[in-house]
Amino acid sequence: MYIRMAILMVVSLYTVRVVYNTLGEQNYGIYNIAGVIIVFFSFLNNGLAQAVKRYITTEIAKGDYESGRTMFGVCVEAHLIVAAIVLLLAESVGLWCVNHLLNIPPGCETATNIVYQLSVATAVIGILQSPYNTVILAYERMTIYAYLSIIEALLNLGVVFAVEFIDGDKLIIYAWLVFAAKLANMLMYRIYATCTFAICRWSFPHEPKLLRDVFGYMGWSLTGQAAVVGTNQGASMLVNNYFGVTLNAAMGLSNSITNAVYAFVSNFQAAFNPQIVKSYATQEWTYLKHLIILSSKMASYLVVIFLVPIIFEIDKVLEIYIGEYSLYTPEFCILTLIAQYIDGMSAPFWMLVGARKDIKVYQICISLVYSMNFFGGWIAFALGADPWSIVAVRCIVSIALLAARIAFAKRYFSALSIREWLSDVLLRSILIIITTTFLTGVAAHFLASLDNIWHIIATTSASLLCSLPLIWFAGMTKAERQMLLNKNNSQR
């Protein structure tokens, strides 16, 4: 899985650079903002995906084949309903928003609408595909998941090379090629899941009670998903309305870079999520407690490894990587990574709460806190704040979300020790990030005379020489170090 992430990260960063330079700043901004509207509606699928992940993983943990097959059929039926709703909303309300609300440069209306329609088609296909991806992860077939992701990365790389050499409107050509690549990848996931897992060979189960249960869970999950959409896509629209597509290009560029970094964390958590749900379903409380602390700790360390060198080298990296980049891109990158650092630590807690059937109170409270990202950014812009202030607001809200999720996790899982989490996760992580930042800053100062590329290499090396030993000796307990050594020896 980590070989997969290394390949994906390199390909992702390379493709962003080529696409940004090939499309140009304006077209790149249009491509990012055109897909925003459809994400507002596809949050319906995100809410359903959480429900499917919870129900299918729980059935697999119980080991009842017939029950699992019935549940999968119910989940597919639910996705068909959601796909129809998304299509209807996208082609009515969404299409109106694209043509009347977005700040699109004159002459780019046709290209924007084509990109939007392809985004709608991709979203609908993705909704119908979602149950099959969930089954692969629920059965923890991480190797196959990695192989298919690598194939997807190679397809994306092929798109980048093709768009450079095909004549015509580069934005429209790029949108069509991206759609084709995603469609091919979705078909590969479906074919593998159908041929491998018996529960994927479904028929309509005619289980209205189960369907109501899934949609009930989905309904409350949607409140949280709507807040996430308001954070990410709502922020993009705010920036678009206050500052135009040039700043959308800056946000899109920073998100591409930070998402490539955070993919390592989400990759790590993808392996932990089914284990947390299964442990909760089978009431293995000691193992569950260990999973939560270890996942939270390691997620924060993974972000630190990338965050510290980026803090010192982001200007030089962007200059070499992109050339002439949009204003405020460095600030967007650094602040987004800080928010992801905090979110990474809190992820195991929402996984734990999501393993329960009743998530009503949790979703209401979390959604209220999460919505402050959008409204806080709106207030900041209205008061004349710089564009990056919307990400600074996100960092503050992420801290509040972390505290709220810990409180809910403790309420539903009494064996969890908040004091142990604070000392074993938070304090260790803060110690590592402060020490690494200070030592890397000293090294960067003495290396100031080096050329850009050599300065980046030297500073990154210095950061790794500081962070990795600190993570091993100060960030991990003796038992955790021994566990990793034993695991390594068993693989030889």
Side-chain angles (χ1 to χ4, degrees):
M1 285 286 279
Y2 280 102
I3 292 173
R4 159 193 180 264
M5 285 317 308
I7 295 173
L8 292 184
M9 184 175 181
V10 171
V11 171
S12 175
L13 293 175
Y14 176 76
T15 54
V16 169
R17 173 187 176 181
V18 176
V19 170
Y20 183 86
N21 289 325
T22 302
L23 297 184
E25 183 177 70
Q26 179 174 283
N27 279 344
Y28 189 78
I30 291 172
Y31 184 81
N32 277 276
I33 194 63
V36 164
I37 301 298
I38 187 59
V39 179
F40 273 109
F41 300 120
S42 63
F43 80 90
L44 291 169
N45 181 54
N46 295 334
L48 181 57
Q50 292 298 321
V52 171
K53 188 182 297 183
R54 187 263 173 197
Y55 280 93
I56 288 181
T57 304
T58 300
E59 292 300 328
I60 290 174
K62 293 177 181 177
D64 187 336
Y65 161 72
E66 285 300 330
S67 178
R69 187 169 177 268
T70 300
M71 180 55 68
F72 182 81
V74 169
C75 291
V76 172
E77 187 178 354
H79 277 79
L80 287 169
I81 295 171
V82 169
I85 295 172
V86 168
L87 184 61
L88 178 63
L89 292 174
E91 294 298 346
S92 54
V93 180
L95 196 59
W96 182 87
C97 290
V98 168
N99 291 300
H100 294 88
L101 292 184
L102 295 186
N103 182 11
I104 303 299
C108 297
E109 293 84 0
T110 299
T112 301
N113 274 275
I114 291 174
V115 170
Y116 175 74
Q117 292 298 335
L118 290 171
S119 298
V120 172
T122 302
V124 170
I125 294 171
I127 291 170
L128 299 177
Q129 174 62 24
S130 183
Y132 298 90
N133 293 18
T134 300
V135 168
I136 294 174
L137 290 174
Y139 275 104
E140 301 182 60
R141 298 296 178 89
M142 300 305 176
T143 302
I144 294 299
Y145 185 74
Y147 289 153
L148 294 176
S149 298
I150 291 171
I151 293 173
E152 180 181 9
L154 295 177
L155 287 173
N156 291 334
L157 193 60
V159 167
V160 171
F161 288 129
V163 78
E164 286 190 276
F165 296 105
I166 298 176
D167 294 329
D169 189 313
K170 296 294 185 182
L171 179 58
I172 295 175
I173 292 169
Y174 178 68
W176 271 108
L177 291 174
V178 168
F179 169 73
K182 290 185 179 296
L183 178 60
N185 187 253
M186 291 171 185
L187 288 174
M188 286 188 292
Y189 276 99
R190 174 170 292 206
I191 291 169
Y192 172 79
T194 304
C195 294
T196 306
F197 306 113
I199 68 170
C200 294
R201 296 159 204 161
W202 63 281
S203 58
F204 282 106
H206 306 296
E207 293 283 352
K209 184 180 182 302
L210 279 178
L211 190 62
R212 285 196 301 270
D213 285 346
V214 170
F215 273 108
Y217 187 101
M218 168 192 165
W220 290 113
S221 181
L222 280 179
T223 59
Q225 293 299 323
V228 171
V229 170
T231 298
N232 300 326
Q233 312 311 319
S236 294
M237 294 193 70
L238 280 175
V239 170
N240 177 258
N241 278 281
Y242 276 92
F243 305 102
V245 294
T246 299
L247 267 297
N248 281 121
M251 283 194 74
L253 184 59
S254 69
N255 286 338
S256 297
I257 294 172
T258 55
N259 287 344
V261 172
Y262 196 68
F264 277 90
V265 180
S266 60
N267 176 74
F268 181 81
Q269 291 168 345
F272 269 81
N273 194 6
Q275 284 292 314
I276 289 175
V277 174
K278 290 175 182 177
S279 298
Y280 188 87
T282 55
Q283 300 184 354
E284 298 178 55
W285 306 128
T286 301
Y287 183 54
L288 177 59
K289 179 181 174 183
H290 168 72
L291 283 174
I292 291 171
I293 289 182
L294 184 61
S295 176
S296 187
K297 182 189 296 187
M298 297 307 295
S300 71
Y301 296 161
L302 286 170
V303 179
V304 168
I305 288 172
F306 294 98
L307 173 60
V308 175
I310 285 176
I311 288 174
F312 293 100
E313 300 299 324
I314 185 62
D315 290 312
K316 297 182 182 67
V317 168
L318 287 171
E319 185 177 332
I320 295 171
Y321 177 50
I322 297 296
E324 187 176 346
Y325 54 87
S326 302
L327 190 65
Y328 297 113
T329 302
E331 290 86 348
F332 280 130
C333 283
I334 293 172
L335 289 171
T336 301
L337 276 175
I338 292 172
Q340 290 176 343
Y341 166 76
I342 301 166
D343 292 340
M345 285 192 289
S346 69
F349 300 111
W350 62 253
M351 292 178 193
L352 169 63
V353 177
R356 303 178 68 254
K357 201 171 184 178
D358 182 12
I359 57 172
K360 174 181 175 181
V361 176
Y362 169 79
Q363 290 292 2
I364 291 174
C365 294
I366 292 299
S367 297
L368 289 174
V369 177
Y370 222 122
S371 64
M372 292 301 103
N373 283 291
F374 177 81
F375 294 108
W378 195 352
I379 292 170
F381 288 164
L383 295 175
D386 288 329
W388 56 261
S389 60
I390 197 166
V391 193
V393 170
R394 178 183 169 185
C395 294
I396 297 170
V397 173
S398 291
I399 295 173
L401 285 168
L402 172 61
R405 285 167 175 157
I406 291 174
F408 273 99
K410 178 64 177 176
R411 176 182 177 183
Y412 299 135
F413 179 39
S414 58
L416 177 67
S417 170
I418 297 178
R419 180 178 297 179
E420 182 180 354
W421 185 89
L422 290 172
S423 62
D424 199 17
V425 179
L426 186 61
L427 290 181
R428 288 176 188 265
S429 185
I430 291 175
L431 170 66
I432 288 169
I433 196 170
I434 291 176
T435 307
T436 303
T437 302
F438 173 75
L439 294 176
T440 304
V442 172
H445 174 74
F446 285 106
L447 297 169
S449 60
L450 295 176
D451 292 336
N452 280 1
I453 185 65
W454 291 110
H455 194 277
I456 293 171
I457 294 172
T459 303
T460 302
S461 300
S463 178
L464 292 175
L465 287 172
C466 297
S467 61
L468 294 179
L470 280 171
I471 289 171
W472 182 254
F473 291 107
M476 302 179 69
T477 64
K478 182 178 179 181
E480 289 166 346
R481 291 196 296 271
Q482 189 60 49
M483 178 193 69
L484 290 179
L485 289 174
N486 292 340
K487 184 69 174 175
N488 181 62
N489 290 334
S490 68
Q491 299 298 319
R492 291 180 179 177

